[in-house]
């Protein structure tokens, strides 16, 4: 690949060769004005094996927002602790504004920026520090026919050298896609955090920022609220079968499971947190108390440092309300040897200690649960230092 990037450096990104496929469309109306010998503007270049040359000039694209999940608000262990400045290529922004959909060839860049100062003359807060990394996601049925939603994910970050790589290979689908698939609002893109995009979606001709309306009413606030309620939200529905012919320490069918949880039998597990602590996940509500119990199978696997936990691994998380009254359980049971992106796990969350029908999710392969848990160690997210 080296020679390709060198060639590109000399010739500029607009060049296409037999080995390169550009993922771009000409900037719509100007095409006819262009001289016949001029190549259309390329926002990215991908080689036949999926390698992406680091896109340039993205800070001149359309800026869509800057989410931040700071360490201070995540028990000091945020999965992504830096600012994320997100940009989209102008042609795809335009297409999204016209049609409300992501075209093939859409590219979003996410520039990582460290948290710098936490105080300014205006008050305490989070202020951007240094540029520390760069990631990208691209939708292309042509390049990624087998990726979920045809989206692929890239990183050019090198935290050791501080020098961005010149090119990057797409991540395996399970490293990035499933989180986006399970929780992003609009076809793998987290538009719920980018009002620039939600206000542009399907806006038609014209420019959303030129309309005078600010502080919109609840009704027109976001596409999420406009969407008609689906009967079952697919994020919380099972996508794989739960085996019924095996028995585990923790039952995986509702009636026996609920009876088991109510019995408190799991409190006999040797490995357990000694007290309630504030949750870092959204179970019941972020920050409410939880307490986690591990069966012997998963405790041994965590001790052994296994990449995948064996069948029969089980974890139970007690959830409490603000006054430490029981408020249900979240449970994970590994029903298969392979994790299969979460389909090999049985997921359960019930939000009442007495009413078994108050279920947030039950079954194998629940996208909403997996979305957060993919950053865990074979899906396990709690602090397991009490076991190690
Ligand atoms: C734990 C869930 C999770 C995982 C895993 C994850 N992401 Fe994201 N990603 C998010 C969230 C949430 C946002 C929006 C808020 C933010 O940027 O923090 C986002 C935003 C992005 C964006 C901006 C465009 C968009 O879709 O909103 C890019 C690019 C991106 N992620 C790349 C990646 C890459 C590359 C990986 C794999 C190395 C990855 N993500 C893994 C949750 C995740
Ligand atoms: C927004 C992110 C997020 C979502 C969605 C999520 N979890 Fe979690 N989960 C966490 C975090 C973070 C922890 C670590 C412990 C804590 O702080 O609560 C955790 C811990 C757990 C635990 C304790 C074992 C472990 O992995 O550490 C169980 C069991 C669990 N979650 C089940 C579920 C189930 C079932 C669902 C779907 C109904 C779900 N989770 C959805 C973030 C999430």
């Amino acid at each position: 690949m080296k020679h390709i990037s060198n060639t590109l450096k000399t010739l500029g990104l607009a060049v296409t060769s037999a080995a390169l496929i550009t993922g771009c469309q000409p900037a719509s109306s100007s095409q006819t004005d262009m001289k016949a010998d001029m190549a259309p503007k390329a926002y990215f270049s991908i080689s036949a094996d999926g390698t992406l040359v680091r896109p340039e000039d993205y800070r001149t694209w359309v800026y869509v927002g800057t989410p931040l999940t700071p360490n201070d608000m995540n028990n000091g262990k945020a999965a992504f602790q830096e600012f994320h400045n997100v940009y989209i290529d102008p042609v795809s922004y335009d297409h999204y504004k016209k049609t409300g959909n992501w075209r093939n060839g859409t590219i979003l860049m996410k520039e990582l920026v460290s948290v710098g100062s936490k105080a300014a003359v205006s008050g305490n807060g989070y202020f951007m520090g240094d540029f520390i990394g760069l990631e990208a996601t691209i939708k292309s049925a042509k390049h990624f026919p087998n990726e979920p939603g045809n989206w692929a994910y890239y990183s050019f970050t090198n935290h050791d050298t501080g020098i961005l790589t010149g090119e990057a290979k797409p991540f395996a689908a399970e490293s990035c896609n499933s989180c986006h698939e399970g929780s992003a609002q609009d076809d793998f893109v987290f538009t719920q955090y980018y009002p620039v995009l939600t206000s542009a979606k399907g806006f038609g001709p014209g420019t959303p920022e030129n309309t005078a309306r600010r502080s919109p009413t609840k009704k027109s606030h976001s596409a999420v609220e406009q969407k008609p309620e689906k009967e079952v939200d697919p994020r919380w529905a099972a996508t794989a079968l739960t085996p019924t012919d095996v028995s585990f320490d923790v039952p995986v069918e509702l009636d026996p499971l609920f009876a088991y949880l109510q019995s408190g039998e799991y409190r006999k597990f040797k490995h357990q947190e000694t007290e309630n602590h504030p949750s870092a996940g959204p179970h019941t509500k972020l920050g409410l108390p939880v307490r986690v119990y591990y069966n012997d199978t998963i405790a041994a696997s965590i001790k052994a440092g296994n990449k995948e936990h064996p069948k029969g691994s089980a974890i139970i998380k007690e959830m409490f309300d603000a006054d430490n009254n029981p408020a249900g359980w979240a449970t994970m049971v590994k029903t298969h040897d392979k994790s299969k992106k979460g389909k090999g796990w049985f997921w359960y969350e019930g939000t009442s200690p007495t009413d078994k029908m108050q279920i947030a999710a039950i079954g194998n392969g629940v996208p909403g649960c997996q979305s957060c848990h993919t950053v865990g160690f074979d899906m396990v997210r709690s602090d397991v230092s009490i076991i190690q």
Side-chain angles (χ1 to χ4, degrees), residues 44-45 51-56 58 107-110 112 132-138 153-159 161-169 171:
F44 60 85
S45 297
T51 303
L52 173 67
V53 178
R54 172 157 50 82
E56 297 184 326
Y58 52 85
I107 177 166
L108 290 124
M109 300 295 297
K110 179 173 102 174
L112 314 188
I132 54 171
L134 188 64
E135 296 180 358
T137 179
I138 292 173
Y153 292 83
Y154 293 91
S155 174
F156 300 94
T157 307
N158 184 334
H159 284 301
T161 63
I163 312 289
L164 296 179
T165 59
E167 48 194 39
K169 290 216 181 312
F171 280 98

Side-chain angles (χ1 to χ4, degrees), residues 67 84 110 135 154 171 176 179-180 188-190 194 371 375:
H84 294 161
K110 179 173 102 174
E135 296 180 358
Y154 293 91
F171 280 98
C176 308
C179 215
H180 284 249
F188 288 70
V189 183
F190 281 92
Y194 313 128
S371 68
V375 293

Side-chain angles (χ1 to χ4, degrees), residues 279-280 282-283 315 317 330 332 348-349 368-369 372-373 380-382:
S279 164
H283 306 264
I315 311 182
K317 179 158 102 166
M332 295 165 61
Y348 162 83
E349 183 169 330
C369 305
C372 275
H373 278 260
V380 177
R381 288 219 45 190
S382 47

